[in-house]
């Protein structure tokens, strides 16, 4: 019964203390306020290793080889520079904090943070060195008494006073666990000390990568400190231990050892992933195996056939890792993603060259039943691949995706080329904009496509609806308009009907507003009933705005790119104007085909223009609509009678039909001059 309680306590302590890394880092940084004090952390750690070496000599078979004492690492030669207290005083305070459970500090996480409060004035490398030194001195004292008790009466008396067990052999499992855990802690500490000693200019990392590594260091220092507290608790627990309690504390020792090994494995795997993505490979197999196939030879499944798959199925393919919550995407976005990747007219050009793997990640410690049900439903419905058992993904892999790829809960699409190299950390927007045209879905391809794009009706409406796509390709005049004001919509459509009845060819498409809601649904229903001229459904309207938002995000990321500077400013400005249009009376955008001659007009202004067109009567059908609209939008240069004349060649005059005077904005009378 005792051993079960001990194991349960360990697990309970672990689960209670689990913290989100972001929250933990914020708390650690609040306690971190270093001053000018300095410590040779590397020398102190080396001295501590000496202590642990001698402390464990009695636990191993006696060797005849002489002992090498590294005098340079003698703790007596180490000073805490520019500190108000000595090194020994600092270590003593830490050892006391770690060995004694002060009132109100019984929780392991709380005790760990109390140690960080004591070390607030020290740098990160000094924190780990001092914590390990505090544990080592306590362990060294314990070991010294145990070694000398059989030979020196004073040691025997102290051992009896501390009620240390007389049977050393029953402590071997605990001592072995402590040694192995200590070895893991020291290995991690050396990495931190080595990194902290590097000047930032020599690290060779950009700011984002440096920040990610710093975050890793903060969390690792936390767990080193916490592990040292666990080790100290083990020393305290060895006092007054009775023989029948050995099994209980053996379990605790094994728990500490497993925890230490877990920490070491997670750090090592994270480092292996970093190294793996920094190397050049002949294919993508090593990378995919490290991500998904560490414990399962068939880690994937095909959503279309439910077949189990290995990563070898993806060899020589571009792989798109769709990382998201277990509920994937909102349904309209999911529908559009499938349309853009599996049902797009241009997909056959790159069929078989790429594959999508859905990698669902839960932000809770354990997957909930609801999350698992969502995953099973979607993974069996969607046409792409998915991780077959996502709840079994290695936690180091998940943390790597969060830290290195900046996954924060919003869906991202990380692209690996056929050699396993990351070519984009989020290709979702470019897929929404261009579909298979953006293959191989790399950042360079995204730049290349934007270099060739201009603000045209084709770009605005691309692949939203096949009929709309056809109208654009035919070069028809198209008007996209939006509003929540039903009175304005009715007036706008009535005036447009008069112009169309006069012979002007123009297609009207209602697109609602950004983030369409139930009110837009109601307006759409009224338009369909009263005017019977609309083309897009509510879902298509949602996709229209989704594409525009993707264009804005893509452009915003690339706006400082010199190669796209000439076009990105204009496109980004126009997209933003549509997304953030707050005019209660609506707006309209006129254009056709591949022409860059696009006019965006606000509600009241477009009504005024349409009134001018109505006064022109049947003559409006002979005008180039966009040119006439731009002319009317400009204020007249003269009032009253106008004597402006314009001479055009005979052939051009036949082609242009009626012409609008750019001074008075009225139709000009036509005269033919014969030479």
């Amino acid at each position: 019964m005792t051993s079960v309680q001990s194991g349960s306590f360990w697990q309970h302590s672990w689960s209670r203390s689990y913290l989100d890394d972001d929250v933990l880092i914020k708390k650690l940084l609040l306690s971190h306020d270093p001053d000018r004090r300095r410590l040779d952390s590397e020398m102190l750690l080396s001295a501590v290793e000496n202590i642990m070496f001698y402390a464990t000599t009695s636990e191993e078979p006696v060797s005849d080889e002489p002992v090498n004492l590294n005098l340079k690492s003698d703790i007596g030669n180490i000073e805490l520079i520019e500190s108000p207290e000595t090194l020994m005083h600092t270590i003593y305070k830490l050892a006391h904090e770690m060995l004694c459970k002060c009132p109100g500090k019984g929780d392991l996480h709380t005790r760990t943070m109390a140690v960080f409060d004591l070390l607030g004035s020290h740098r990160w490398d000094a924190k780990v060195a001092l914590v390990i030194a505090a544990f080592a001195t306590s362990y060294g004292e314990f070991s010294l008494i145990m070694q000398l008790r059989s030979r020196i009466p004073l040691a025997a008396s102290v051992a009896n006073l501390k009620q240390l067990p007389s049977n050393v052999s029953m402590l071997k499992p605990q001592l072995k666990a402590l040694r192995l855990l200590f070895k893991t802690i020291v290995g991690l500490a050396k990495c931190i000390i080595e990194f902290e000693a590097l000047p930032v200019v020599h690290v060779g990392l950009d700011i984002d990568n440096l920040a990610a590594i710093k975050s890793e260091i903060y969390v690792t220092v936390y767990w080193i400190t916490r592990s040292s507290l666990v080790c100290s608790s083990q020393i305290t627990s060895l006092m007054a231990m009775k023989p029948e309690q050995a099994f209980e504390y053996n379990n605790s020792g094994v728990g500490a050892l497993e925890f230490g090994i877990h920490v070491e494995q997670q750090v090592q795997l994270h480092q292996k992933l970093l190294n793996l993505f920094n190397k050049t490979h002949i294919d993508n197999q090593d990378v995919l195996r490290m991500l998904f196939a560490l414990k399962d030879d068939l880690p994937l499944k095909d959503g279309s056939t439910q077949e189990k798959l290995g990563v070898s199925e993806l060899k020589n393919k571009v792989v798109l890792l769709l990382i998201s919550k277990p509920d994937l995407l909102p349904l309209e976005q999911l529908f559009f993603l499938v349309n853009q990747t599996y049902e797009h007219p241009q997909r056959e050009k790159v069929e078989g060259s790429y594959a999508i793997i859905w990698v669902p990640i839960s932000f809770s410690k354990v997957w909930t039943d609801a999350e698992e049900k969502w995953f099973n439903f979607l993974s069996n419905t969607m046409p792409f691949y998915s991780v077959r058992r996502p709840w079994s993904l290695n936690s180091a892999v998940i943390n790597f995706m969060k830290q290195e790829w900046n996954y924060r809960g919003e869906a991202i699409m990380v692209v690996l080329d056929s050699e396993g190299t990351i070519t984009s950390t989020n290709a979702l927007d470019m897929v929404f904009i261009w579909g298979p045209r953006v293959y191989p879905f790399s950042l360079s391809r995204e730049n290349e496509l934007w270099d060739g794009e201009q603000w045209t009706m084709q770009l605005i409406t691309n692949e939203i609806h096949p009929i709309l796509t056809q109208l654009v390709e035919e070069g028809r005049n198209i008007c996209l308009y939006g509003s929540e004001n039903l009175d304005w919509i009715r007036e706008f459509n009535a005036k447009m009907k008069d112009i169309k009845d006069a012979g002007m060819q123009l297609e009207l498409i209602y697109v609602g507003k950004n983030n369409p809601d139930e009110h837009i649904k109601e307006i759409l229903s009224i338009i369909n009933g009263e005017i019977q001229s609309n083309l897009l459904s509510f879902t298509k309207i949602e996709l229209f705005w989704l594409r525009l938002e993707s264009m804005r995000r893509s452009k915003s990321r690339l706006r400082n790119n010199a190669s796209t500077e000439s076009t990105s400013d204009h496109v980004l400005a126009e997209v933003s104007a549509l997304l953030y249009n707050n005019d209660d009376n609506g707006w309209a955008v006129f254009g056709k085909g591949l022409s860059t001659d696009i006019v965006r007009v606000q509600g009241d202004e477009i009504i005024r223009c349409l009134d001018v067109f109505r006064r022109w009567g049947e003559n409006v059908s002979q005008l180039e609509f966009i040119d006439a609209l731009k002319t009317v939008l400009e204020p007249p240069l003269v009032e009253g009678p106008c004597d402006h004349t314009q001479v055009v060649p005979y052939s051009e005059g036949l082609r242009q039909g009626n012409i609008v005077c750019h001074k008075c904005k009225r139709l000009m009378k036509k005269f033919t001059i014969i030479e």
Side-chain angles (χ1 to χ4, degrees):
M1 180 66 67
T2 305
S3 62
V4 174
Q5 290 174 347
S6 175
S8 299
F9 171 76
W10 176 262
Q11 294 170 2
H12 179 64
S13 297
W14 184 308
S15 61
R16 277 190 64 196
S17 63
Y18 177 80
L19 288 172
D20 179 80
D21 282 354
D22 291 337
V23 176
L24 179 59
I25 289 169
K26 289 179 182 178
K27 291 184 177 182
L28 293 174
L29 291 177
L30 285 175
S31 70
H32 184 61
D33 187 22
D35 54 21
R36 295 175 60 87
R37 67 188 74 187
R38 291 291 181 269
L39 172 68
D40 190 332
S41 303
E42 185 177 5
M43 182 175 285
L44 178 59
L45 190 62
S46 181
V48 168
E49 287 187 281
N50 276 340
I51 294 173
M52 292 301 292
F53 172 79
Y54 293 118
T56 56
T57 52
S58 66
E59 301 160 17
E60 304 294 339
V62 177
S63 173
D64 294 331
E65 295 182 8
V67 174
N68 276 327
L69 178 62
N70 184 1
L71 295 177
K72 289 185 178 179
S73 297
D74 182 11
I75 199 166
N77 298 328
I78 305 171
E79 295 182 1
L80 196 54
I81 302 171
E82 294 193 48
S83 172
E85 59 186 19
T86 65
L87 176 62
M88 289 301 100
H89 185 218
T90 302
I91 293 176
Y92 173 79
K93 284 199 311 182
L94 283 172
H96 183 268
E97 179 70 35
M98 293 166 67
L99 284 172
C100 303
K101 282 190 176 181
C102 301
K105 295 183 180 179
D107 176 73
L108 187 54
H109 169 69
T110 304
R111 291 178 60 205
T112 305
M113 295 308 297
V115 172
F116 275 95
D117 289 338
L118 285 176
L119 294 170
S121 300
H122 296 272
R123 301 191 333 174
W124 294 101
D125 59 313
K127 292 182 200 290
V128 290
L130 289 168
V131 164
I132 296 173
F135 162 71
T137 54
S138 300
Y139 185 83
E141 179 186 354
F142 161 79
S143 182
L144 184 63
I145 295 172
M146 295 298 291
Q147 289 181 36
L148 298 178
R149 68 183 301 172
S150 62
R151 302 195 301 272
I152 300 178
L154 176 60
S157 298
V158 174
N160 291 334
L161 183 63
K162 290 180 175 286
Q163 298 183 15
L164 297 178
S166 57
N167 185 0
V168 180
S169 62
M170 74 178 187
L171 303 180
K172 286 186 177 180
Q174 294 93 317
L175 297 177
K176 181 180 179 181
L178 286 174
R179 287 200 310 273
L180 292 177
L181 180 52
F182 181 81
K183 181 180 178 181
T184 299
I185 289 173
V186 169
L188 295 174
K190 286 181 177 179
C191 293
I192 292 170
I193 291 172
E194 183 179 353
F195 182 83
E196 288 289 295
L198 292 174
V200 174
V201 293
H202 292 160
V203 173
L205 297 170
D206 59 36
I207 296 301
D208 291 338
N209 286 335
L210 188 61
I213 291 178
K214 281 287 190 181
S215 297
E216 282 285 324
I217 287 175
Y218 306 150
V219 175
T220 304
V221 173
Y222 170 86
W223 284 109
I224 287 175
T225 305
R226 187 178 172 121
S227 301
S228 299
L229 278 168
V230 172
C231 293
S232 298
S233 299
Q234 293 291 304
I235 297 174
T236 305
S237 300
L238 293 175
M239 298 179 182
M241 186 174 68
K242 299 176 182 179
E244 61 268 20
Q245 293 176 300
F247 184 69
E248 170 187 350
Y249 286 100
N250 284 349
N251 281 345
S252 295
V254 171
L257 172 59
E258 288 177 348
F259 170 70
I261 294 174
H262 170 80
V263 172
E264 183 178 37
Q265 287 175 341
Q266 297 306 297
V267 174
Q268 288 176 351
L269 181 55
H270 189 104
Q271 190 59 47
K272 284 181 181 178
L273 286 167
L274 281 173
N275 295 337
L276 199 62
F277 281 105
N278 288 329
K279 292 180 180 178
T280 301
H281 305 276
I282 58 173
D283 56 39
N284 58 15
Q285 294 299 284
D286 287 345
V287 170
L288 294 176
R289 273 194 293 267
M290 183 67 75
L291 289 172
F292 304 118
L294 288 175
K295 299 179 181 179
D296 191 347
D297 292 333
L298 299 173
L300 310 175
K301 76 172 181 179
D302 187 333
S304 302
T305 64
Q306 306 307 302
E307 181 184 1
K308 297 179 181 179
L309 301 171
V311 297
S312 58
E313 298 288 332
L314 304 171
K315 190 174 182 178
N316 299 323
K317 291 185 178 182
V318 173
V319 176
L320 283 64
L321 303 178
L322 178 57
I323 306 170
S324 76
K325 297 177 182 176
D327 57 359
L328 221 168
L329 292 164
L331 288 179
E332 71 277 1
Q333 295 186 27
L334 185 56
F335 168 80
F336 194 42
L337 177 63
V338 173
N339 180 75
Q340 291 291 80
T341 53
Y342 286 90
E343 299 175 3
H344 196 282
Q346 297 187 27
R347 182 177 186 267
E348 59 185 26
K349 296 181 180 179
V350 292
E351 185 118 32
S353 300
Y354 70 91
I356 298 176
I357 302 177
W358 178 30
V359 186
I361 293 178
S362 171
F363 268 77
S364 57
K365 186 66 175 174
V366 179
W367 275 59
T368 65
D369 290 340
E371 289 175 331
E372 193 168 336
K373 287 178 181 178
W374 261 114
F375 166 73
N376 289 330
F377 170 74
L378 292 172
S379 63
N380 294 335
T381 306
M382 295 299 103
F384 32 75
Y385 298 159
S386 62
V387 176
R388 191 162 55 85
R389 300 177 69 247
W391 42 84
S392 298
L393 279 175
N394 193 292
S395 58
V397 171
I398 294 175
N399 288 333
F400 180 86
M401 293 177 176
K402 291 178 179 179
Q403 295 173 22
E404 304 302 326
W405 296 343
N406 200 34
Y407 173 64
R408 294 290 182 267
E410 292 293 326
I412 62 173
M413 183 175 277
V414 178
V415 181
L416 308 178
D417 67 13
S418 58
E419 296 177 354
T421 301
I422 298 173
T423 57
S424 174
T425 55
N426 194 357
L428 204 53
D429 287 326
M430 65 175 93
V431 170
F432 283 151
I433 298 169
W434 291 291
R437 276 187 63 203
V438 79
Y439 176 85
F441 310 100
S442 61
L443 183 62
S444 60
R445 178 59 175 158
E446 184 179 21
N447 272 295
E448 180 185 344
L449 284 174
W450 275 127
D451 282 345
E453 288 287 8
Q454 293 181 301
W455 187 238
T456 65
M457 191 58 69
Q458 183 184 57
L459 175 63
I460 301 173
T461 64
N462 187 40
E463 304 302 337
I464 291 295
H465 193 288
I467 296 179
L468 182 54
T469 300
Q470 181 180 347
L471 293 174
V472 171
E473 291 175 350
E474 292 174 355
R476 302 278 287 274
N477 287 318
I478 294 174
C479 169
L480 305 175
Y481 71 100
S483 176
E484 290 185 275
N485 187 332
L486 190 56
D487 291 335
W488 182 88
I489 291 173
R490 284 173 170 147
E491 181 182 11
F492 173 75
N493 274 276
K495 294 182 182 295
M496 290 299 297
K497 183 178 183 301
D498 290 343
I499 295 174
K500 292 175 69 175
D501 288 345
M504 175 63 70
Q505 297 295 317
L506 190 64
E507 303 295 335
L508 301 183
I509 312 292
Y510 178 69
V511 294
K513 67 164 188 175
N514 190 16
N515 298 316
D517 51 19
E518 290 299 318
H519 184 47
I520 297 298
K521 273 188 179 180
E522 296 172 2
I523 292 176
L524 188 61
S525 178
I526 293 172
I527 292 175
N528 289 334
E530 293 182 4
I531 304 171
Q532 299 178 348
S533 64
N534 197 60
L535 179 63
L536 301 185
S537 65
F538 182 77
T539 299
K540 294 293 186 181
I541 289 175
E542 288 180 307
L543 300 185
F544 170 82
W545 291 105
L546 172 62
R547 276 192 79 253
L548 288 183
E549 182 59 37
S550 291
M551 290 165 65
R552 185 197 64 79
R553 284 196 299 262
S554 175
K555 274 297 186 182
S556 295
R557 284 194 299 267
L558 303 174
R559 66 182 181 272
N560 294 325
N561 189 318
S563 64
T564 60
E565 185 175 2
S566 59
T567 58
S568 70
D569 287 346
H570 177 63
V571 172
L572 182 59
E574 290 297 324
V575 168
S576 299
L578 292 179
L579 288 170
Y580 306 123
N581 195 316
N582 296 317
D583 192 332
D584 292 336
N585 287 331
W587 52 269
V589 173
F590 298 88
K592 65 177 183 177
L594 299 176
S595 172
T596 59
D597 216 3
I598 291 185
V599 180
R600 174 172 48 85
V601 194
Q602 294 304 116
D604 291 337
E605 189 71 5
I606 188 59
I607 295 298
R608 183 184 69 81
C609 293
L610 295 180
D611 285 337
V612 174
F613 284 0
R614 289 177 68 190
R615 291 198 298 269
W616 293 343
E618 295 181 356
N619 292 317
V620 74
S621 63
Q622 301 179 41
L623 297 171
E624 278 291 333
F625 184 83
I626 304 298
D627 291 339
L629 182 62
K630 290 170 66 177
T631 303
V632 173
L633 286 171
E634 298 171 358
L637 300 179
V638 298
E639 298 291 342
C642 176
D643 59 358
H644 175 68
T645 59
Q646 183 175 344
V647 178
V648 298
Y650 180 74
S651 58
E652 185 178 335
L654 290 175
R655 186 171 66 252
Q656 287 185 349
N658 289 321
I659 298 176
V660 178
C661 175
H662 71 273
K663 289 190 174 182
C664 67
K665 311 305 179 187
R666 292 188 284 263
L667 289 176
M668 300 183 72
K669 295 181 179 180
K670 183 184 296 184
F671 298 93
T672 303
I673 301 175
I674 301 176
E675 294 182 351

